[in-house]
Amino acid sequence: MPLTKEALLNMYRRMLTIRHFEEGITEFAKQGLVPGTGHVSIGEEAVAVGACSALADGDYIISTHRAHGHLLARGADIKVILAEVLGKATGCTGGKGGSMHLSDFSRQILGTNGIVGAGINIAGGVGLAIKMRQTGQICLGFFGDGAANRGTFHEGLNLAAVWKVPTVFVCTNNQYGLSMPQCKACGNIDISARASAYDMPGYRVDGTDVIAVYEAVKSAADRARKGDGPSLIEAISFRLRGHSMRMDQMPGGNVYRPEGEIDDWAANKDPVKIFRAKLKELGYLDDKKAGQIDAECQKLFDDAADFARNSPEPAPETAFTWIYAKEGVK
Amino acid sequence: MPLTKEALLNMYRRMLTIRHFEEGITEFAKQGLVPGTGHVSIGEEAVAVGACSALADGDYIISTHRAHGHLLARGADIKVILAEVLGKATGCTGGKGGSMHLSDFSRQILGTNGIVGAGINIAGGVGLAIKMRQTGQICLGFFGDGAANRGTFHEGLNLAAVWKVPTVFVCTNNQYGLSMPQCKACGNIDISARASAYDMPGYRVDGTDVIAVYEAVKSAADRARKGDGPSLIEAISFRLRGHSMRMDQMPGGNVYRPEGEIDDWAANKDPVKIFRAKLKELGYLDDKKAGQIDAECQKLFDDAADFARNSPEPAPETAFTWIYAKEGVK
Amino acid sequence: MPQRQISYREALAEAIIEEMARDDRVFLMGEDVGVLGGAFGATPGIYAKFGGERVLDTPISETAIVGYALGAAMAGMRPIAEIMRVDWMTICMDEIVNQTAKMRYLSGGHPEVSLVIRAAAEGGIGLGGQHSQSFEAWFVHVPGLKVIMPSTPYDIKGLMKSAIRDPNPVICLEPGVLYGVSGPVPTEEYLIPLGEAEVKREGKDITIVAWGTMLPKTLNAAQTLAAEGVDVEVVDPRTLRPLDIDTVIASVKKTGKLIIAHEAMKTCGVGAEIAALVQERAFDHLDAPIQRVATPDVIIPVNRALERVVLPQEATIVNTVKAVI
Amino acid sequence: MPQRQISYREALAEAIIEEMARDDRVFLMGEDVGVLGGAFGATPGIYAKFGGERVLDTPISETAIVGYALGAAMAGMRPIAEIMRVDWMTICMDEIVNQTAKMRYLSGGHPEVSLVIRAAAEGGIGLGGQHSQSFEAWFVHVPGLKVIMPSTPYDIKGLMKSAIRDPNPVICLEPGVLYGVSGPVPTEEYLIPLGEAEVKREGKDITIVAWGTMLPKTLNAAQTLAAEGVDVEVVDPRTLRPLDIDTVIASVKKTGKLIIAHEAMKTCGVGAEIAALVQERAFDHLDAPIQRVATPDVIIPVNRALERVVLPQEATIVNTVKAVI
Ligand SMILES: Cc1ncc(C[n+]2csc(CCOP(=O)(O)OP(=O)(O)O)c2C)c(N)n1
Ligand SMILES: Cc1ncc(C[n+]2csc(CCOP(=O)(O)OP(=O)(O)O)c2C)c(N)n1
Ligand SMILES: [Mg+2]
Ligand SMILES: [Mg+2]
């Protein structure tokens, strides 16, 4: 069943919302408004939106340190997410987790992680719970090309295969793990091929093509929902910015990137541009409509920014809460 | 270059020495002479001897908890090893490491390990040192099918491939990791196939055939020595005893094994029997000669047993040594 | 209450079986927990009762064991994850410390991260340096975790049941040498709240706080000393985080003297924390410096005689008491 | 000696560069240590000097980083392995604790296991719960390891050089917030022996033992207090294992009062060990209970104001001193 015009335009909207969000917080970071750091996914929006569009209501996701896009693609409240990135009381963890710890339990977004590769096993475990509880959901676990070299990738995918849990593993291969080009970090750059080690289907898709990502994840999700077990999807994409907002500002913070690479990629690999062109080709979008959508998405961010910036700082006593849940037999 | 008659008979002697050693210590364990436990490799002798016979003097090995065979195949002193298994002062660690911590630094046997899968990275690191020092050695790292599901397998093999270290990874797939049948422990039982994830050659060989193991390891060793990097060899073999001497004696300690499996395997998969038949077929062995060799190997063990049993217990003050090396600039 | 004598491992298995019967979110996972009932036979009979759907054998993948347990807990289950020995909790410290312990906090207080991670601990079994350790101090250092270390059949049963019901992650360390030791356990159901120490023996001359393998050794030492006229009070914290320091302090206020006995390495063991707290809160009640009986900072040898040299014994306690008194 | 002002990171890089030039067995490995010079820029200039043959970028594989370093050490090299942050040493605790720390012992005393494992530690940078921890107490609990935690450019240079030459595994924890802080460092070569504390400020009224980020805060507090007539002696252990307790005790015998200040969580931190040792060995010299200034048992928040609420500050020290005096 091909995606409708409306669905496609919604996907475009989501991609653009992510883009505006991350360009916006990059500015905020320069102004010193972001505590710590944050990792923008500019250039990777098609993976977030393609993958999340393939999910049903009630499906879970588990994500990484580079997660704003996943959260927004999955429908989390942009205001709450932005407030969290700014460390405000109205953020999803009241400013205590920041950009690396975003979640929305009302939407089954079970959280992101500051430890690379830690989410893979957690996503498998969510799949295990789904299977044991027979709820018909699935879980989507995002991770990066760098994370794919951690032992947790191996243990997590193998166990998922053994137990046939309904988890879809989505690797955003943005070609770098911090300063490490993917081609120097592993013996075989084809991460999807590792799936065969676990007798699991593996797909390599163009991560700048939101529809390709959608289709791959959709079929993996269908398979998982039917009880046929996990899949691994590798989406080739491009990190158009520095590793983190902090490092992007640091002198030498991008020293490891070949000269011209970012410009070249921005010109040729930008998924938003690519999708916009595609939608125009399909006749779903013209310049006017594109301008309108752009303005809408910018406004979403601007409203969120008003909300977040005007939100209170967390009260000092909140530093001590949530460490333990209250006891009590349930 | 095919193996000479002499070489083959020496391999047979080594296999038989291991067999007698492990049957002997099993008896000792029943008599309560073995502190803690120990893991015999009865049924897996062809892997130890085939692999170690493919090494040159000066090559390193790193091994596992199930290591007596590797040590003896590599030429360690049977007396010292037996003394260690019995926890005596004359053992290779003076009775402090026991069966799981055997080594012979004069023969580049850098040790065995009580932590499943921990040796894989260490073997890679030894390979790294060889490469940096350009000594022309190689390192052989043994591990089990169970260990292959640990994250260290993934991290260790990937990095070996990236750095092209001269390490040969040998997986003894004896079909079980403790009570866990290999077929239930991983998505794809073909461990050798995982090598492709690292763009490394992977071979699956019959681990009851000492010559097949020798040949596979020899070609991997040659490749490593030439600077072409690591390989993974999976040798299919059969654990003809319980997981450990302790568990073999425990009621229910073998409950997980299908009825008749051990007898069946002992009848059909015993590498010593198989090799003996082969040598006879080749005309290298007759019953008389076989009897002689058997007696020789038994005597090796008996002499070692005399030595070890008559060796002193470690002195109490030795409990406190070797924790730190003395400082001093070298 | 009617009582029976059952072993530590039977009491542990009973606790798990009762809770699995009571709450179908509870399940057991780990290496060899299935038909084998645990590599140390710690959990017999559970698989026979509940089968492979709720007793899950795993591959040798310690990061996956804890990571999956955590994920399952976040999606509403209440896993009991066995890591065979605390020595290889080293492999999954990220999953325990950075993930499980912090997940509720880092998720805005939303999920109940209700799971138990169990492991055999301590030595005395001739298994050497990588199989004889006790890292309770590491876990006690980590906010977000609770830590129990029960030493009797009665305590493991009552505390394990509470741990399974607790809405927080609980680390349960089980002294491996005690699995086969029997003691009285009621036939009726009971719970022991986490965070309550027990005075295992009343006395007036000196307080000894002891847990793990050191608890039975301390009780024996107390008997020996009683014959010599020294009346020892023995306090078993049972839960190490949160630590019931009040019970310890009340005892010290009575006796004026304190020894802490644990099998873990002396330096930076939990004994140091108890000593620090007691000198802080009962400074004027102490008649003598607090002493610690613990394994000196060594690696545990396999040879049984050497192992006895390094692990603290009954005699070590007796001698320390005599030196303090 | 002629001195210059250089930053902590420059001093650290100098130490490594000098030792790599001196001994070709020494090399550096870890994530992003190559052209980037470390994710926190902790090791600038080393790659430019020695290139990819001796400065090895690794994949994100913490178990391989330490395991390979260990294997290389066993085969005669002297690696310096960087784990970017101590928070993810959780991933390779088996490699550190069961392998590296015990390898010499479990190999019959044969190999020199000479390697350094370095990591940034502690918070104060707004990076939150998984990026702000300090686990020195865990490593101090492990026989076979040495642990250093230098807080000044002078100390990191002299101690790092000694650590690289030491025939044992050394864990070096570097307070991340101090990388950019400058201090005097001689131009000539010098070494600081492991295991020697330094009295960073002499005083007669009270002793404060402090390390990591707490050292500069304590020195500031001491100045504030001096203005109010309280004369604080500040002892920096610099090496936490082996700990130079004698210097601490000598100071306590002089002042009669002790505070220990560290950023790690209070419960089961190294402060507990020092308190336990001092009350044991200087019981009669203590005029007041030993106090600990540490992070209360919480998870570190990202929000900078909240982070300041939980991490101990100069004022915390000043107030604690006033309460004790
Ligand atoms: C276990 C661990 N090691 C290292 C880091 C530091 N670090 C944070 S992000 C990152 C790169 C991750 O690469 P990848 O998985 O490809 O994700 P990307 O950043 O490209 O989205 C590194 C090394 C970390 N947070 N956790
Ligand atoms: C990390 C770790 N997990 C679990 C154990 C307990 N254990 C010891 S041997 C073993 C089975 C290992 O299986 P495999 O690697 O196939 O080797 P085998 O015993 O078959 O030779 C297990 C689970 C351990 N020692 N280390
Ligand atoms: Mg990446
Ligand atoms: Mg096996």
Side-chain angles (χ1 to χ4, degrees), chain C residues 63-95:
Chain C
T63 78
I65 294 171
V66 178
Y68 271 65
L70 171 58
M74 291 174 72
M77 300 297 288
R78 299 194 147 211
I80 305 168
E82 171 173 318
I83 297 294
M84 204 181 287
R85 282 207 52 90
V86 70
D87 306 70
W88 36 98
M89 283 195 179
T90 50
I91 297 167
C92 44
M93 287 301 278
D94 176 57
E95 286 71 22

Coordinates of all heavy atoms in Angstrom, one line a residue, chain C residues 63-95:
Chain C
T63 N 25.9 -8.8 29.4 CA 25.3 -7.5 29.1 C 23.8 -7.7 28.7 O 23.0 -6.8 29.0 CB 26.0 -6.6 28.1 OG1 25.8 -7.0 26.8 CG2 27.5 -6.7 28.4
A64 N 23.6 -8.7 27.9 CA 22.2 -8.9 27.4 C 21.3 -9.3 28.6 O 20.1 -9.0 28.7 CB 22.2 -9.9 26.3
I65 N 21.8 -10.1 29.5 CA 21.0 -10.6 30.6 C 20.4 -9.4 31.4 O 19.2 -9.3 31.6 CB 21.8 -11.5 31.6 CG1 22.1 -12.8 30.8 CG2 21.0 -11.8 32.8 CD1 23.1 -13.7 31.6
V66 N 21.3 -8.5 31.8 CA 20.8 -7.3 32.5 C 20.1 -6.3 31.7 O 19.0 -5.8 32.0 CB 22.0 -6.7 33.3 CG1 21.4 -5.5 34.1 CG2 22.6 -7.7 34.3
G67 N 20.6 -6.1 30.5 CA 20.0 -5.1 29.6 C 18.5 -5.6 29.2 O 17.6 -4.8 29.2
Y68 N 18.4 -6.8 28.9 CA 17.0 -7.4 28.6 C 16.1 -7.3 29.8 O 14.9 -7.0 29.7 CB 17.1 -8.8 28.1 CG 17.3 -8.9 26.6 CD1 18.5 -8.4 25.9 CD2 16.3 -9.5 25.7 CE1 18.6 -8.5 24.6 CE2 16.5 -9.5 24.4 CZ 17.6 -9.1 23.8 OH 17.8 -9.2 22.4
A69 N 16.7 -7.7 30.9 CA 15.9 -7.6 32.2 C 15.4 -6.2 32.4 O 14.2 -5.9 32.7 CB 16.7 -8.1 33.4
L70 N 16.3 -5.2 32.2 CA 15.9 -3.8 32.3 C 14.8 -3.4 31.3 O 13.8 -2.8 31.7 CB 17.1 -2.9 32.2 CG 16.8 -1.4 32.1 CD1 16.1 -0.9 33.3 CD2 18.1 -0.6 31.9
G71 N 15.0 -3.8 30.1 CA 14.0 -3.4 29.0 C 12.7 -4.1 29.4 O 11.6 -3.4 29.3
A72 N 12.7 -5.3 29.8 CA 11.5 -6.0 30.1 C 10.8 -5.3 31.3 O 9.6 -5.1 31.4 CB 11.7 -7.5 30.5
A73 N 11.6 -4.9 32.3 CA 11.0 -4.2 33.5 C 10.4 -2.9 33.0 O 9.3 -2.5 33.5 CB 12.1 -3.9 34.5
M74 N 11.0 -2.2 32.1 CA 10.5 -0.9 31.7 C 9.2 -1.1 30.9 O 8.3 -0.2 30.8 CB 11.5 -0.2 30.8 CG 12.7 0.3 31.6 SD 14.0 1.0 30.5 CE 13.2 2.6 30.0
A75 N 9.0 -2.3 30.3 CA 7.7 -2.5 29.6 C 6.8 -3.4 30.5 O 5.9 -4.1 30.0 CB 8.0 -3.2 28.3
G76 N 7.0 -3.3 31.8 CA 6.0 -3.8 32.7 C 6.2 -5.2 33.3 O 5.3 -5.7 34.1
M77 N 7.3 -5.8 33.0 CA 7.6 -7.1 33.7 C 8.4 -6.9 35.0 O 8.8 -5.8 35.3 CB 8.3 -8.1 32.7 CG 7.6 -8.3 31.4 SD 6.0 -9.2 31.7 CE 6.6 -10.8 32.1
R78 N 8.6 -8.0 35.7 CA 9.4 -7.9 36.9 C 10.4 -9.1 37.0 O 10.3 -10.1 37.7 CB 8.5 -8.0 38.1 CG 7.5 -6.9 38.2 CD 6.8 -6.7 39.5 NE 6.5 -5.3 39.7 CZ 6.5 -4.8 40.9 NH1 6.7 -5.5 42.0 NH2 6.2 -3.5 41.1
P79 N 11.5 -8.9 36.2 CA 12.4 -10.0 36.0 C 13.3 -10.2 37.2 O 13.6 -9.3 38.0 CB 13.3 -9.5 34.8 CG 12.7 -8.2 34.3 CD 11.8 -7.7 35.4
I80 N 13.7 -11.5 37.4 CA 14.8 -11.8 38.3 C 15.9 -12.3 37.4 O 15.8 -13.3 36.7 CB 14.3 -13.0 39.2 CG1 13.1 -12.6 40.0 CG2 15.5 -13.3 40.2 CD1 12.4 -13.8 40.7
A81 N 17.0 -11.6 37.3 CA 18.1 -11.9 36.4 C 19.2 -12.5 37.2 O 19.6 -11.9 38.2 CB 18.5 -10.7 35.7
E82 N 19.6 -13.7 36.9 CA 20.8 -14.3 37.6 C 22.0 -14.1 36.8 O 22.1 -14.4 35.6 CB 20.6 -15.8 37.8 CG 21.8 -16.4 38.3 CD 21.7 -17.9 38.8 OE1 20.7 -18.3 39.4 OE2 22.7 -18.7 38.4
I83 N 23.0 -13.5 37.4 CA 24.4 -13.5 36.9 C 25.1 -14.5 37.8 O 25.0 -14.5 39.0 CB 25.1 -12.1 37.1 CG1 24.3 -11.0 36.3 CG2 26.5 -12.2 36.7 CD1 24.4 -11.2 34.8
M84 N 25.7 -15.5 37.2 CA 26.0 -16.7 38.0 C 26.9 -16.4 39.2 O 26.7 -16.9 40.3 CB 26.8 -17.6 37.0 CG 26.8 -19.1 37.4 SD 27.8 -20.0 36.2 CE 26.7 -20.0 34.8
R85 N 27.8 -15.5 39.0 CA 28.7 -15.1 40.1 C 28.9 -13.5 40.1 O 29.0 -13.0 39.0 CB 30.1 -15.7 40.0 CG 30.1 -17.2 40.5 CD 31.5 -17.5 41.0 NE 31.9 -16.5 41.9 CZ 31.7 -16.6 43.3 NH1 31.2 -17.7 43.8 NH2 32.1 -15.7 44.1
V86 N 29.0 -12.9 41.2 CA 29.2 -11.5 41.3 C 30.5 -11.1 40.6 O 30.6 -10.0 40.0 CB 29.2 -11.0 42.7 CG1 30.4 -11.4 43.5 CG2 29.0 -9.5 42.8
D87 N 31.4 -12.0 40.5 CA 32.7 -11.7 39.8 C 32.4 -11.3 38.4 O 33.2 -10.5 37.8 CB 33.6 -13.0 39.8 CG 33.8 -13.6 41.1 OD1 32.8 -14.1 41.7 OD2 34.9 -13.4 41.6
W88 N 31.4 -11.9 37.7 CA 31.2 -11.4 36.3 C 30.1 -10.4 36.2 O 29.7 -10.0 35.1 CB 31.2 -12.5 35.3 CG 30.6 -13.8 35.6 CD1 29.4 -14.3 35.2 CD2 31.3 -15.0 36.1 NE1 29.2 -15.6 35.6 CE2 30.3 -16.0 36.1 CE3 32.5 -15.2 36.7 CZ2 30.7 -17.3 36.6 CZ3 32.8 -16.4 37.2 CH2 31.9 -17.5 37.1
M89 N 29.6 -9.8 37.3 CA 28.9 -8.6 37.2 C 29.8 -7.5 36.7 O 29.3 -6.4 36.2 CB 28.3 -8.2 38.6 CG 27.1 -9.0 38.9 SD 26.2 -8.2 40.3 CE 24.8 -9.3 40.5
T90 N 31.1 -7.7 36.8 CA 32.1 -6.8 36.2 C 31.7 -6.5 34.7 O 32.1 -5.5 34.1 CB 33.5 -7.4 36.2 OG1 33.4 -8.7 35.8 CG2 34.0 -7.3 37.7
I91 N 31.1 -7.5 34.1 CA 30.9 -7.5 32.6 C 29.7 -6.6 32.3 O 29.6 -6.0 31.3 CB 30.6 -8.9 32.1 CG1 31.9 -9.7 32.3 CG2 30.1 -8.9 30.6 CD1 31.7 -11.2 32.0
C92 N 28.8 -6.5 33.3 CA 27.5 -5.7 33.0 C 27.3 -4.6 34.0 O 26.2 -4.3 34.4 CB 26.3 -6.7 33.0 SG 26.3 -7.9 34.4
M93 N 28.5 -4.0 34.4 CA 28.3 -2.9 35.3 C 27.7 -1.7 34.7 O 27.0 -0.9 35.3 CB 29.7 -2.5 35.9 CG 30.3 -3.4 36.9 SD 29.3 -3.7 38.3 CE 29.7 -2.2 39.3
D94 N 27.9 -1.5 33.4 CA 27.2 -0.4 32.7 C 25.7 -0.6 32.8 O 24.9 0.3 33.2 CB 27.6 -0.2 31.2 CG 26.7 0.8 30.6 OD1 26.7 2.0 31.0 OD2 26.0 0.5 29.6
E95 N 25.2 -1.8 32.5 CA 23.8 -2.1 32.5 C 23.3 -2.0 33.9 O 22.1 -1.6 34.1 CB 23.6 -3.6 32.0 CG 23.7 -3.7 30.5 CD 25.1 -3.6 30.0 OE1 26.1 -3.8 30.8 OE2 25.3 -3.3 28.8

